[in-house]
Amino acid sequence: GFFFLLKECHEKDFLFVEGSYRHDWYRAFRQFAVQRGTPDNYGYYSFGVNSLLHEVVELPKFWNYMKLRTSYSEVGNSIPNVMFHAISVNQLTGAVVPSPYSYFENPIPEKTKSFEAGFDAAFFKNALSWDLTFYYSTLNNAYLLVADKGKSKPVNSGVIRNMGVETSMSYALNISKDLLWKTGVNLAYNNNQI
C-alpha cells in the first residue's frame, strides 16, 4: 500500500512551486522485519520550481516567452516479492527442497534520484520556440542476483548513472487562417555509467 500527498502554490503568476511525498509499504520486506528489524516502509519525495521570467523581466520585443524550470524526485522500487529463505517439500517424493537463495544481507529498495533543469523560450509571437534540458539521475541499491556456492545470492549493490542534455527548436508558419506549417529539430546527448 501507499499514501501520496501533493502541494502546489504560486506567487503572482510568475513563480510556481510544487512538492509531493509518497510513502510505500512493501510486502517483500516483511519477511526481514521480525528477525532483523528491517523496515517494510519507505518514503520518497519530489519538488519542482517553474518561473515565468517574461512576467517579471522586460525582454526584447522579439522575445515573448521565457520559462525556467527545475525539479528533483526520488522514486523507489521493491525487491521481488518472493520468500528468500523459504524451504519447500517436493509433493511427489516428500523430499525437503532448500531455498535457491543464499543469505540476503542488506535488503533495501532500489531508489532512483533524478534532477532536471532547463528553459523554454519563444520568439517572434511564438513562431520560433526553443527548449533546453539537462538531466541527471542515479539508480542506487540496484537489486542483483549473483552466483554464490551453487545458489543465487540477492544483493543491493551498485549505482547506475544517467546524464544528458536535450534541446529542440521548432518554427511555426501560419500559411492561411486554417493552415499552419510547423517544423522542428531535436538534438540529444546521453551518457550512462554503471
Side-chain angles (χ1 to χ4, degrees):
F2 70 92
F3 76 83
F4 180 76
L5 298 171
L6 175 67
K7 177 65 179 164
E8 292 182 25
C9 59
H10 62 90
E11 176 64 32
K12 297 184 179 178
D13 294 330
F14 78 89
L15 184 65
F16 301 85
V17 179
E18 180 178 276
S20 67
Y21 179 78
R22 178 182 173 123
H23 202 92
D24 290 339
W25 283 263
Y26 298 116
R27 183 183 318 182
F29 289 99
R30 290 183 190 156
Q31 62 190 299
F32 306 108
V34 175
Q35 297 171 347
R36 299 193 217 173
T38 302
D40 68 349
N41 60 86
Y42 296 88
Y44 309 100
Y45 66 94
S46 67
F47 65 88
V49 178
N50 294 306
S51 177
L52 299 177
L53 204 58
H54 64 277
E55 295 288 343
V56 291
V57 174
E58 188 173 336
L59 299 172
K61 289 189 185 260
F62 69 89
W63 191 346
N64 53 288
Y65 181 83
M66 181 67 177
K67 177 170 88 170
L68 302 176
R69 52 188 161 74
T70 187
S71 65
Y72 176 82
S73 67
E74 293 184 354
V75 178
N77 187 31
S78 177
I79 58 176
N81 194 21
V82 298
M83 294 299 289
F84 287 97
H85 304 296
I87 58 172
S88 61
V89 176
N90 185 316
Q91 297 297 321
L92 295 174
T93 65
V96 175
V97 180
S99 170
Y101 302 103
S102 58
Y103 188 73
F104 197 165
E105 292 181 29
N106 187 24
I108 52 178
E110 296 177 330
K111 185 184 282 190
T112 301
K113 300 176 181 181
S114 301
F115 170 77
E116 184 176 295
F119 66 82
D120 301 324
F123 309 93
F124 309 111
K125 298 181 182 174
N126 295 325
L128 178 66
S129 61
W130 177 35
D131 68 74
L132 178 74
T133 303
F134 167 78
Y135 57 89
Y136 181 89
S137 67
T138 57
L139 170 63
N140 301 277
N141 310 316
Y143 172 80
L144 304 168
L145 290 174
V146 296
D148 181 36
K149 302 175 187 170
K151 292 192 172 192
S152 296
K153 181 173 180 63
V155 294
N156 285 111
S157 176
V159 175
I160 300 171
R161 182 186 59 78
N162 181 31
M163 66 178 286
V165 177
E166 185 172 335
T167 186
S168 64
M169 188 172 281
S170 63
Y171 187 77
L173 178 63
N174 280 318
I175 296 174
S176 70
K177 179 183 172 187
D178 298 321
L179 183 60
L180 174 73
W181 177 74
K182 188 173 185 177
T183 186
V185 63
N186 186 345
L187 300 171
Y189 169 78
N190 189 57
N191 183 354
N192 291 316
Q193 285 186 354
I194 299 175

